[in-house]
Amino acid sequence: MSGTAKNGLDPRLAGAMLGAISDGVFAVDRDFRITFFNTAAERITGCAAEDALGRACADVLRSSACGADCPLRRTTPSPAVGHEVEIIDQAGRPRTVRVTAVPLFDAGGAFAAGIEAFTDVSSLQALRREIRGRQTTSDLVARSASMRRLAEALPNVARSGAPVLLEGKVGTGKELVAAIIHHLSQRSGAALVKYSCAAVPESLIALDLFGGEGAASPGRLAAARGGTLFIDDVADLPLGVQARLARLLETEGAALDVRLVAATREDLLARVQGGLFRDDLFYRLKVVALRLPTLRERPEDLPGLIEQTLERLCRRAGRPPLEVAPAAMAVLLDYDYPGNVRELENLLEHACIVTRGGRIELGDLPAQLRAAVAGGTPEASERAVLRAALEQAFWSVPRAAANLGIHRTTLWRKLKRLGLTRP
């Protein structure tokens, strides 16, 4: 930029001011290609400015409003203020942003350029969902192919009304997926009743599920009438209870007016073959089967999960969002997480409690986690450090190299040697 604007403000100063503000700001030319992209826009979208410049804004933001509903495609120069739209960030995660858009027209009245400011209100939306107890696919981090397939399938599965069997290891998020299925279904206005077989003595399970004389409540099936009953650890149902549930579903399925979502960490088919689970109940539950991948199978989702979890923990604690230092992030990205998402949440909660500053340092992570990662190979540790630096730099090699204090060509050589490429 050069020269001075009519209002006396140096365009270079205007650019510096726009670059420094906390709202995302970008500008487009008449072809809707990005000509300016500030630091906050990078942070919100996860896209580096050098990657955004020159690209169509629809390709970068992937917004629900792109096209005819774009706030910049107005026929009057008055700004569009306060529109809430959904964008998809570079991690594949939906974000809700509140937009102010100002279209600019040439002397002939044709669109010449535009500028748009946007504020990330995803945390507010998440808080609203948390207060209402309603989950949607926005609560899933789905950058990996396996999680994208799951997220895309859930709306149709929810609308079908069919029984669902969720298969996955401990801590893979089966309860969250069950809640999403319920809240996207036609039964969302009624109750979602959750029941874990593993948490109840075997002698009490029948009374809990079906009710009966001496029961303090009518039973979970009756409580879920009109809604959804989520049975976790369904493999732990005693055979007698399995038989009774199978008969009830066969003879009174319509009258029950309950949708069943069951979850298991066991191989139910193997248990059927071993005589430990009834085949009639197995096939009634497995009308739709969804497998939830382990965290080890979806490493692309780790950065987004860390960000999302920290955001939620800080919101609940009433504190500003915490950042993660590169060394700590390298350890978090390099760990195997046998306990999956649940273990990740516990580790981050520990770090949030013990940290004294505005970001989580390596020393804030549990000692056993640091020791487990330190036991890896030097090459694995180097890969984790470089990957953490690249994630924090939105995969901009020059910026990551600057943060690491090395030359960009040195970083390129390391990436090539380690076979580390952008997901």
Side-chain angles (χ1 to χ4, degrees):
M1 295 182 184
S2 61
T4 303
K6 290 182 179 180
N7 59 9
L9 183 63
D10 188 322
R12 290 172 298 180
L13 179 58
M17 291 171 62
L18 290 173
I21 64 175
S22 59
D23 286 353
V25 178
F26 70 92
V28 296
D29 60 17
R30 66 177 64 252
D31 297 319
F32 290 90
R33 295 195 173 276
I34 294 174
T35 58
F36 176 82
F37 207 70
N38 76 342
T39 302
E42 291 182 309
R43 173 178 50 79
I44 295 170
T45 63
C47 182
E50 54 259 44
D51 291 336
L53 294 176
R55 292 172 61 189
C57 57
D59 292 341
V60 174
L61 300 175
R62 297 180 286 177
S63 169
S64 58
C66 288
D69 295 329
C70 173
L72 285 173
R73 293 183 184 273
R74 295 168 61 85
T75 56
T76 63
S78 58
V81 180
H83 288 237
E84 285 194 6
V85 301
E86 188 177 87
I87 66 171
I88 306 296
D89 68 15
Q90 296 301 297
R93 191 152 64 102
R95 288 184 178 271
T96 303
V97 296
R98 186 172 293 137
V99 169
T100 297
V102 182
L104 304 173
F105 301 91
D106 60 22
F111 178 82
I115 188 167
E116 187 170 302
F118 56 104
T119 304
D120 188 356
V121 294
S122 302
S123 296
L124 178 60
Q125 296 288 73
L127 180 59
R128 289 171 182 165
R129 290 197 302 273
E130 199 170 311
I131 291 171
R132 294 196 305 264
R134 300 180 67 87
Q135 280 81 35
T136 72
T137 51
S138 297
D139 295 290
L140 291 176
V141 174
R143 186 173 184 172
S144 63
S146 57
M147 287 302 292
R148 283 202 306 271
R149 287 194 297 269
L150 178 65
E152 290 165 0
L154 285 180
N156 287 336
V157 170
R159 285 192 292 268
S160 73
V164 179
L165 181 63
L166 303 177
E167 301 168 316
K169 300 293 185 182
V170 171
T172 49
K174 297 185 290 292
E175 185 174 331
L176 171 61
V177 172
I180 292 172
I181 290 171
H182 172 73
H183 293 308
L184 293 179
S185 75
Q186 296 178 347
R187 295 176 176 269
S188 60
L192 167 63
V193 177
K194 303 175 183 178
Y195 186 70
S196 175
C197 302
V200 181
E202 187 174 308
S203 59
L204 296 179
I205 289 178
L207 198 61
D208 270 357
L209 281 177
F210 307 114
E213 285 188 36
S217 65
R220 303 302 175 100
L221 272 167
R225 187 179 300 278
T228 303
L229 175 62
F230 171 54
I231 305 178
D232 199 5
D233 297 308
V234 71
D236 292 335
L237 281 177
L239 281 168
V241 174
Q242 294 177 34
R244 185 173 174 184
L245 182 58
R247 284 196 305 272
L248 199 61
L249 293 174
E250 182 179 355
T251 59
E252 300 180 36
L256 284 175
D257 190 23
V258 173
R259 186 199 195 154
L260 279 181
V261 178
T264 180
R265 62 184 186 276
E266 307 284 350
D267 183 341
L268 275 193
L269 182 58
R271 291 180 72 86
V272 168
Q273 294 168 343
L276 299 174
F277 202 87
R278 292 181 62 95
D279 58 353
D280 53 354
L281 181 59
F282 172 70
Y283 290 111
R284 283 193 174 276
L285 295 177
K286 198 175 180 176
V287 175
V288 177
L290 298 174
R291 180 183 175 274
L292 277 66
T294 63
L295 205 45
R296 189 182 303 175
E297 294 174 292
R298 45 185 290 220
E300 306 96 318
D301 294 331
L302 255 178
L305 279 167
I306 291 168
E307 178 188 357
Q308 182 191 66
T309 304
L310 278 178
E311 184 181 273
R312 183 174 67 252
L313 291 171
C314 291
R315 185 171 65 243
R316 289 179 180 176
R319 64 186 298 175
L322 288 168
E323 296 181 355
V324 182
M329 181 66 82
V331 170
L332 289 169
L333 294 178
D334 200 35
Y335 185 53
D336 277 343
Y337 297 99
N340 295 298
V341 178
R342 189 178 301 163
E343 183 178 12
L344 172 64
E345 292 175 347
N346 291 341
L347 292 171
L348 291 175
E349 186 170 12
H350 169 95
C352 286
I353 292 170
V354 303
T355 188
R356 295 179 179 272
R359 71 177 190 171
I360 293 172
E361 303 289 348
L362 180 60
D364 297 324
L365 300 178
Q368 65 270 25
L369 170 63
R370 287 179 273 135
V373 174
T377 65
E379 183 177 283
S381 299
E382 183 181 18
R383 181 183 286 108
V385 170
L386 296 183
R387 182 179 168 198
L390 287 162
E391 291 285 356
Q392 291 198 330
F394 312 113
W395 285 85
S396 167
V397 171
R399 188 173 303 178
N403 292 341
L404 290 166
I406 61 177
H407 196 274
R408 69 180 67 182
T409 56
T410 302
L411 180 54
W412 278 118
R413 284 197 300 270
K414 288 177 177 287
L415 298 181
K416 184 176 181 180
R417 174 172 55 83
L418 296 169
L420 188 58
T421 58
R422 181 173 185 164

